[in-house]
Amino acid sequence: PPPSPPPSTTASPGSTSSPSQFDIELTAAINVLAEKQADAAAKQKTAETKRIAADELKVVAAAKLTEATTTIDAYIGKASTPEQKLNIRVVAAVAASGGKLNKVSSTPAVAATTDACVTMCADAQVDCVNAVICEKSAVSIGGLRHLLASSDISLVINPKVTLTADVEANLKASGTTTTTTTEDPAIRLAALVTFGVSAGDLVTLTAQCTTSATASRESTAAETEATTAERDSSEAANLVVEAELSVTTKKNEKKNNDMSPAPAPANSAGKVFAFAAPLACALAAMIVV
């Protein structure tokens, strides 16, 4: 009888082969990319929303500060002495900005005939007529106050106008040791009645400074949130780029694998021999007959 044909290796209709490792890795990379893209889109939208809010609050804060500054300038105009004008200008401006006053203090030995503020303002290289308040208070020695013998000298600064670090450096260069502290301007603001501001005007000034300070703090907080959201969005966008690169790499690996010739099955030689040997025997028998 004729030899039996070799077993068929063709897959039956409708059958599917298992995905290769390259297919699995590519699918995983595509899924990761989709996740990163969705996350980046969400963070970009959040960043845009927070930026809009921050910009709006910045405009509001600027408007409130302008209103307060107009009122401050009006009250400075009403003041009758340079000292009154200086205190209103420095204290109210800081109160309206929502910031703190900086106070740079030292306790030098000052002769009775020496104006300590003139000396300290000159050493600090600051304008103590229009920009910086200089205060002098007596030092207590053994329970006694010696105002003319020695004084605590302090420079009260609006840090948005005068750089505190420069003041400290200049005083250090002159041989003066200082201590810097911060002050809430609220107490000094309330004391402006002693510097030519009427009680009624002080109520108006305080209200406008408070409103401006609140708007400034809200604007600063919103700006911080917007900046953080924008940084998060940028980082998420970078992760998308990395995921896209990974997908491209996996596609190339799969393509190269698909183009490579498939290796012969390990037992193909045995199958050929098993088929050829019976056939050769059959042919030899026919020849002999």
Side-chain angles (χ1 to χ4, degrees):
S4 302
S8 174
T9 57
T10 305
S12 60
S15 66
T16 58
S17 59
S18 299
S20 68
Q21 185 62 32
F22 294 98
D23 291 320
I24 294 173
E25 292 179 359
L26 175 58
T27 299
I30 291 173
N31 290 338
V32 170
L33 173 59
E35 292 174 0
K36 299 301 181 184
Q37 288 173 328
D39 183 58
K43 288 183 176 178
Q44 181 180 358
K45 184 176 181 180
T46 297
E48 291 171 350
T49 300
K50 289 186 178 294
R51 172 50 58 196
I52 291 172
D55 289 346
E56 290 175 349
L57 287 175
K58 188 181 296 182
V59 172
V60 172
K64 296 300 180 184
L65 181 59
T66 298
E67 292 177 10
T69 301
T70 300
T71 301
I72 292 169
D73 290 342
Y75 293 159
I76 290 174
K78 291 182 180 181
S80 57
T81 69
E83 183 183 16
Q84 291 175 344
K85 294 178 184 292
L86 177 61
N87 276 269
I88 295 170
R89 180 180 294 112
V90 174
V91 174
V94 174
S97 72
K100 301 282 188 181
L101 290 160
N102 284 351
K103 186 174 182 179
V104 181
S105 305
S106 72
T107 312
V110 181
T113 58
T114 301
D115 189 330
C117 275
V118 171
T119 301
M120 190 164 181
C121 290
D123 289 343
Q125 301 179 31
V126 294
D127 180 0
C128 288
V129 175
N130 301 297
V132 176
I133 300 169
C134 184
E135 297 178 330
K136 182 169 56 176
S137 58
V139 175
S140 178
I141 302 177
L144 300 176
R145 293 172 65 81
H146 298 262
L147 179 58
L148 297 180
S150 182
S151 299
D152 279 334
I153 313 300
S154 298
L155 299 179
V156 181
I157 298 169
N158 177 352
K160 291 184 178 294
V161 175
T162 304
L163 293 178
T164 304
D166 288 349
V167 173
E168 294 169 334
N170 291 335
L171 289 172
K172 182 178 181 181
S174 70
T176 303
T177 301
T178 62
T179 301
T180 301
T181 56
T182 59
E183 282 189 7
D184 189 322
I187 295 177
R188 289 179 181 269
L189 186 66
L192 287 181
V193 289
T194 62
F195 293 96
V197 180
S198 69
D201 287 345
L202 183 59
V203 170
T204 301
L205 178 61
T206 301
Q208 289 197 354
C209 286
T210 300
T211 300
S212 175
T214 299
S216 177
R217 284 190 288 269
E218 290 176 348
S219 175
T220 299
E223 180 64 28
T224 299
E225 289 185 4
T227 301
T228 300
E230 287 168 344
R231 184 181 65 246
D232 292 344
S233 176
S234 178
E235 292 175 353
N238 290 337
L239 292 178
V240 169
V241 172
E242 292 178 5
E244 289 174 338
L245 179 60
S246 177
V247 169
T248 299
T249 299
K250 296 303 179 183
K251 283 183 177 180
N252 289 336
E253 290 176 352
K254 182 179 183 303
K255 180 180 179 181
N256 292 337
N257 178 72
D258 291 344
M259 293 177 64
S260 299
N267 60 348
S268 59
K271 290 182 178 179
V272 171
F273 177 78
F275 170 74
L279 179 61
C281 292
L283 291 175
M286 293 174 61
I287 293 173
V288 170
V289 173

Coordinates of all heavy atoms in Angstrom, one line a residue, residues 233-273:
S233 N 2.1 69.4 35.7 CA 1.7 69.2 34.3 C 2.9 69.0 33.4 O 2.9 68.1 32.5 CB 0.9 70.4 33.8 OG 0.5 70.3 32.4
S234 N 3.9 69.7 33.6 CA 5.2 69.5 32.8 C 5.8 68.2 33.1 O 6.2 67.5 32.1 CB 6.2 70.6 33.2 OG 7.4 70.5 32.5
E235 N 5.8 67.7 34.3 CA 6.4 66.4 34.6 C 5.5 65.3 34.0 O 6.1 64.3 33.5 CB 6.4 66.2 36.1 CG 7.4 67.1 36.8 CD 7.4 67.0 38.3 OE1 6.5 66.3 38.9 OE2 8.3 67.6 39.0
A236 N 4.2 65.5 34.0 CA 3.3 64.5 33.4 C 3.5 64.4 31.9 O 3.5 63.4 31.3 CB 1.9 64.8 33.7
A237 N 3.8 65.6 31.3 CA 4.0 65.6 29.8 C 5.4 64.9 29.5 O 5.5 64.2 28.5 CB 4.1 67.1 29.3
N238 N 6.3 65.0 30.4 CA 7.6 64.3 30.1 C 7.4 62.8 30.2 O 8.1 62.1 29.5 CB 8.6 64.8 31.2 CG 9.1 66.2 31.0 OD1 9.0 66.7 29.9 ND2 9.6 66.9 32.0
L239 N 6.5 62.4 31.1 CA 6.3 60.9 31.2 C 5.6 60.4 30.0 O 5.8 59.3 29.6 CB 5.4 60.7 32.5 CG 6.1 60.9 33.8 CD1 5.1 60.7 35.0 CD2 7.3 60.0 34.0
V240 N 4.8 61.3 29.3 CA 4.1 60.9 28.1 C 5.2 60.6 27.0 O 5.1 59.7 26.2 CB 3.1 61.9 27.6 CG1 2.6 61.6 26.2 CG2 1.9 61.9 28.5
V241 N 6.1 61.5 26.9 CA 7.2 61.4 25.9 C 8.0 60.1 26.2 O 8.3 59.4 25.2 CB 8.2 62.6 26.0 CG1 9.4 62.4 25.1 CG2 7.5 63.9 25.6
E242 N 8.3 59.8 27.4 CA 9.0 58.5 27.8 C 8.1 57.3 27.3 O 8.7 56.4 26.8 CB 9.3 58.5 29.2 CG 10.3 59.5 29.7 CD 10.5 59.5 31.2 OE1 10.0 58.5 31.9 OE2 11.2 60.3 31.7
A243 N 6.8 57.4 27.6 CA 5.9 56.3 27.2 C 5.9 56.1 25.7 O 5.8 55.0 25.2 CB 4.5 56.5 27.8
E244 N 5.8 57.2 25.0 CA 5.8 57.2 23.5 C 7.1 56.5 23.0 O 7.0 55.7 22.0 CB 5.7 58.6 23.0 CG 4.3 59.2 23.2 CD 4.2 60.6 22.7 OE1 5.3 61.3 22.6 OE2 3.1 61.1 22.5
L245 N 8.2 56.9 23.6 CA 9.5 56.3 23.2 C 9.5 54.8 23.4 O 9.9 54.0 22.6 CB 10.6 56.9 24.0 CG 12.0 56.4 23.7 CD1 12.4 56.6 22.2 CD2 13.1 57.1 24.5
S246 N 8.9 54.4 24.6 CA 8.8 52.9 24.9 C 7.9 52.2 23.9 O 8.3 51.1 23.4 CB 8.2 52.8 26.3 OG 8.0 51.4 26.6
V247 N 6.8 52.8 23.5 CA 5.9 52.2 22.4 C 6.7 52.0 21.1 O 6.6 51.0 20.5 CB 4.7 53.0 22.2 CG1 3.9 52.5 21.0 CG2 3.8 52.9 23.5
T248 N 7.4 53.1 20.7 CA 8.2 53.0 19.5 C 9.2 51.9 19.5 O 9.4 51.1 18.6 CB 8.9 54.4 19.2 OG1 7.9 55.4 19.1 CG2 9.7 54.3 18.0
T249 N 9.9 51.8 20.7 CA 10.9 50.7 20.8 C 10.3 49.4 20.7 O 10.8 48.5 20.0 CB 11.6 50.9 22.2 OG1 12.2 52.2 22.3 CG2 12.6 49.8 22.4
K250 N 9.2 49.1 21.4 CA 8.5 47.8 21.3 C 8.0 47.5 19.9 O 8.0 46.3 19.5 CB 7.3 47.8 22.3 CG 7.8 47.9 23.8 CD 8.8 46.9 24.2 CE 9.2 47.0 25.6 NZ 10.2 46.0 26.0
K251 N 7.5 48.5 19.2 CA 7.1 48.3 17.8 C 8.2 47.9 16.9 O 8.1 46.9 16.1 CB 6.4 49.6 17.3 CG 5.0 49.9 17.8 CD 4.5 51.1 17.1 CE 3.0 51.4 17.5 NZ 2.5 52.6 16.9
N252 N 9.4 48.5 17.1 CA 10.5 48.1 16.3 C 11.0 46.7 16.6 O 11.4 46.0 15.8 CB 11.7 49.1 16.6 CG 11.4 50.5 15.9 OD1 10.6 50.6 15.0 ND2 12.0 51.5 16.5
E253 N 11.0 46.4 17.9 CA 11.4 45.0 18.3 C 10.5 44.0 17.7 O 10.9 43.0 17.2 CB 11.4 44.9 19.9 CG 12.5 45.7 20.5 CD 12.4 45.7 22.1 OE1 11.4 45.1 22.6 OE2 13.3 46.2 22.7
K254 N 9.2 44.3 17.7 CA 8.2 43.3 17.2 C 8.4 43.2 15.6 O 8.3 42.1 15.1 CB 6.8 43.8 17.5 CG 5.7 42.8 16.9 CD 4.3 43.3 17.3 CE 3.3 42.3 16.8 NZ 3.3 42.0 15.4
K255 N 8.6 44.4 15.0 CA 8.8 44.4 13.6 C 10.0 43.5 13.2 O 10.0 42.7 12.2 CB 8.9 45.8 13.1 CG 9.1 45.9 11.5 CD 9.3 47.4 11.2 CE 9.5 47.5 9.7 NZ 9.6 48.9 9.2
N256 N 11.1 43.8 13.9 CA 12.3 43.0 13.6 C 12.1 41.5 13.8 O 12.6 40.7 13.0 CB 13.5 43.5 14.5 CG 13.9 44.9 14.1 OD1 13.7 45.3 13.0 ND2 14.5 45.6 15.1
N257 N 11.4 41.2 14.8 CA 11.1 39.7 15.1 C 10.3 39.1 14.0 O 10.5 38.0 13.6 CB 10.4 39.6 16.4 CG 10.1 38.2 16.8 OD1 11.0 37.4 17.1 ND2 8.8 37.8 16.7
D258 N 9.2 39.9 13.5 CA 8.3 39.4 12.5 C 9.1 39.2 11.2 O 8.7 38.3 10.4 CB 7.2 40.3 12.3 CG 6.2 40.4 13.5 OD1 6.3 39.5 14.3 OD2 5.4 41.3 13.6
M259 N 10.1 40.0 10.9 CA 10.8 39.9 9.7 C 11.9 38.8 9.7 O 12.4 38.4 8.7 CB 11.5 41.3 9.3 CG 10.5 42.4 9.0 SD 11.3 44.0 8.8 CE 12.2 43.6 7.3
S260 N 12.2 38.3 10.9 CA 13.3 37.3 11.0 C 12.7 35.9 10.6 O 11.5 35.6 10.9 CB 13.8 37.2 12.4 OG 14.3 38.4 12.9
P261 N 13.5 35.1 9.8 CA 13.0 33.8 9.4 C 12.7 32.9 10.6 O 13.5 32.9 11.6 CB 14.1 33.2 8.5 CG 15.3 34.0 9.0 CD 14.9 35.3 9.4
A262 N 11.6 32.2 10.5 CA 11.3 31.3 11.7 C 12.2 30.1 11.7 O 12.6 29.5 10.7 CB 9.8 30.8 11.5
P263 N 12.7 29.8 12.9 CA 13.6 28.6 13.0 C 12.9 27.3 12.7 O 11.7 27.1 12.9 CB 14.1 28.7 14.4 CG 13.0 29.4 15.1 CD 12.4 30.4 14.2
A264 N 13.6 26.4 12.0 CA 13.0 25.1 11.7 C 12.7 24.3 13.0 O 13.5 24.4 14.0 CB 14.0 24.2 10.9
P265 N 11.6 23.6 13.0 CA 11.3 22.8 14.2 C 12.4 21.8 14.5 O 13.0 21.3 13.6 CB 10.0 22.1 13.8 CG 9.4 22.9 12.7 CD 10.6 23.5 12.0
A266 N 12.6 21.6 15.8 CA 13.7 20.7 16.2 C 13.6 19.3 15.7 O 14.5 18.6 15.5 CB 13.8 20.7 17.8
N267 N 12.3 18.8 15.5 CA 12.1 17.4 15.1 C 11.8 17.3 13.6 O 11.3 16.2 13.2 CB 11.1 16.7 15.9 CG 9.7 17.5 15.8 OD1 9.7 18.6 15.2 ND2 8.6 16.8 16.3
S268 N 12.1 18.3 12.8 CA 11.7 18.2 11.4 C 12.5 17.2 10.6 O 12.0 16.5 9.8 CB 11.9 19.6 10.7 OG 13.2 20.0 10.8
A269 N 13.8 17.0 11.0 CA 14.6 16.0 10.3 C 14.1 14.6 10.5 O 14.0 13.8 9.6 CB 16.0 16.2 10.7
G270 N 13.7 14.3 11.7 CA 13.2 13.0 12.1 C 11.9 12.7 11.3 O 11.7 11.5 10.9
K271 N 11.1 13.7 11.2 CA 9.8 13.5 10.5 C 10.1 13.2 9.0 O 9.4 12.3 8.4 CB 8.9 14.7 10.6 CG 8.3 14.9 12.0 CD 7.4 16.1 12.1 CE 6.8 16.2 13.4 NZ 5.9 17.4 13.5
V272 N 11.0 13.9 8.4 CA 11.4 13.7 7.0 C 11.9 12.2 6.8 O 11.6 11.5 5.9 CB 12.4 14.7 6.5 CG1 12.9 14.4 5.1 CG2 11.7 16.1 6.5
F273 N 12.8 11.8 7.7 CA 13.4 10.5 7.6 C 12.3 9.4 7.8 O 12.3 8.4 7.1 CB 14.5 10.3 8.7 CG 15.1 9.0 8.7 CD1 16.1 8.6 7.7 CD2 14.7 8.0 9.6 CE1 16.6 7.4 7.7 CE2 15.3 6.8 9.6 CZ 16.2 6.4 8.7

